[in-house]
Amino acid sequence: MNTTERDTLAVGIIGLGDIAQKAYLPVLTALPGLDVRLMTRDASKLDRIGAAYRIAHRYTDLEALVNSGLQAAFVHASTDQHVPIVARLLQAGVHVYVDKPLDYTLEGSRHLVELAEKSGLSLFVGFNRRYAPAYVEARQRPRDLVVFQKHRRGCAENVRTAIFDDFVHVVDTLRFFAPGEVEHVDVRARVHEGRLEHVVLTLSGAGFTALGVQNRVSGSTEEVLEVSGADAKRQVLQIADVVDHDRHPTMHRRGEWVPVSRQRGLEQACQIFLDAVRSGTILSARDALRTHELCEHIVEAIARSR
């Protein structure tokens, strides 16, 4: 076996829905040193996507994929399938990158984190905003006050699903930006006929407040991050354009040729995971679990308030 073959990673992509097709396949198939293998139960989709990317290794069965000599996997299956799929991969000695959330329940999420730790394997949760360049730069600025708005149009839905599938990004981003230990948590929400319409989360500690707002019936899809402190303010619009406020606002638009995957931190997250697999570094999902714990707290707080 030559050096190139020895350094090649056998990487599975499990689940070929929108997120895999739009975000991950373009990134992973462009990276060198990967032997990409696809898995979905939809045979026609499998063949179509496999042919488009010239990927020969295609599986409709998880066990067959695992037994092919898999070293790492990206799990993009539906959330309700995360626990059985990720658990099987970890049991087989495969390092795992999984879309958020780990599970709709805290019990399921905790089980996967503990299983990865027991197995000595990486479990990486795809909170890509932690790696988006505009957010990484904003985090280096004074941030006594953080306001993060992530709105939706026509998306009122079941509370647990809305919080864990979508608002989880708001929760994790606020935790990422909090400049100190969170000492107080406050939750306010509107639920109409069992469907979450809006939610407001406040995290605060010594000298800072972080406010997360989501209106799921706002009329538009919008994401705005604002950090301020020390008489300075920066806004990030749609994870891309930056506005600095110093008497007069100054707009800095993203480069025209910057790929969306890099702008949103997906490319960087994939590279961090793959570099860890290659180097033997174990990535823990313990901090990601804290975000899931806070999401569970939010769900319970909304239930108590109704």
Side-chain angles (χ1 to χ4, degrees):
M1 180 182 294
N2 60 40
T3 301
T4 300
E5 291 173 331
R6 187 168 59 247
D7 292 342
T8 298
L9 283 179
V11 175
I13 301 178
I14 301 169
L16 300 178
D18 284 347
I19 187 66
Q21 294 182 51
K22 292 178 181 178
Y24 287 95
L25 272 165
V27 170
L28 295 174
T29 55
L31 291 176
L34 300 184
D35 175 9
V36 176
R37 306 171 183 196
L38 305 180
M39 186 261 154
T40 179
R41 290 174 294 182
D42 186 332
S44 61
K45 178 186 288 186
L46 182 65
D47 287 339
R48 174 173 55 82
I49 295 174
Y53 284 96
R54 297 181 173 85
I55 297 173
H57 299 290
R58 309 171 193 174
Y59 302 87
T60 56
D61 178 71
L62 180 61
E63 288 303 315
L65 174 63
V66 168
N67 293 332
S68 72
L70 205 61
Q71 296 167 276
F74 288 76
V75 177
H76 307 301
S78 60
T79 299
D80 59 7
Q81 293 301 307
H82 282 182
V83 171
I85 291 174
V86 175
R88 179 66 189 100
L89 291 166
L90 293 172
Q91 289 163 356
V94 178
H95 300 281
V96 178
Y97 179 119
V98 60
D99 285 336
K100 58 73 194 170
L102 284 164
D103 188 41
Y104 286 126
T105 71
L106 184 55
E107 180 183 13
S109 301
R110 185 174 289 128
H111 169 67
L112 294 180
V113 173
E114 292 175 350
L115 180 57
E117 292 176 343
K118 181 180 178 180
S119 303
L121 296 165
S122 287
L123 178 60
F124 188 95
V125 183
F127 287 124
N128 57 289
R129 283 161 179 76
R130 292 189 173 215
Y131 311 101
Y135 282 13
V136 171
E137 292 174 9
R139 190 171 180 262
Q140 298 169 3
R141 299 174 67 86
R143 52 189 197 280
D144 302 338
L145 178 63
V146 179
V147 180
F148 186 34
Q149 301 180 66
K150 188 175 188 294
H151 301 309
R152 295 292 191 184
R153 178 179 182 273
C155 284
E157 61 180 320
N158 170 273
V159 172
R160 181 171 291 275
T161 302
I163 296 299
F164 275 89
D165 262 346
D166 192 13
F167 195 66
V168 65
H169 270 310
V170 177
V171 176
D172 192 71
T173 302
L174 290 187
R175 288 194 57 245
F176 179 61
F177 272 86
E181 189 68 27
V182 173
E183 299 172 356
H184 305 285
V185 178
D186 182 72
V187 179
R188 295 287 186 272
R190 171 181 165 84
V191 179
H192 180 64
E193 296 182 349
R195 298 162 70 85
L196 182 66
E197 294 193 343
H198 74 240
V199 56
V200 179
L201 171 67
T202 305
L203 307 180
S204 60
F208 76 89
T209 300
L211 183 69
V213 183
Q214 183 169 82
N215 187 344
R216 303 188 64 81
V217 289
S218 72
S220 66
T221 299
E222 177 186 30
E223 181 166 327
V224 180
L225 170 71
E226 179 180 299
V227 296
S228 57
D231 209 22
K233 181 172 77 171
R234 170 169 287 194
Q235 290 177 306
V236 181
L237 312 177
Q238 302 297 97
I239 327 181
D241 297 329
V242 173
V243 183
D244 283 324
H245 295 261
D246 183 7
R247 296 185 181 178
H248 303 289
T250 303
M251 169 75 79
H252 310 279
R253 296 193 180 278
R254 70 179 179 89
E256 292 183 8
W257 296 99
V258 177
V260 173
S261 59
R262 188 175 306 158
Q263 167 196 318
R264 300 180 72 88
L266 291 160
E267 182 180 315
Q268 296 88 327
C270 290
Q271 195 64 66
I272 288 170
F273 171 70
L274 293 169
D275 285 349
V277 174
R278 285 194 170 97
S279 68
T281 302
I282 303 302
L283 302 176
S284 172
R286 182 62 60 173
D287 186 68
L289 182 60
R290 292 183 62 191
T291 293
H292 290 69
E293 290 170 345
L294 187 48
C295 284
E296 185 67 31
H297 172 85
I298 293 167
V299 170
E300 293 174 355
I302 293 174
R304 289 194 301 270
S305 68
R306 294 171 63 186

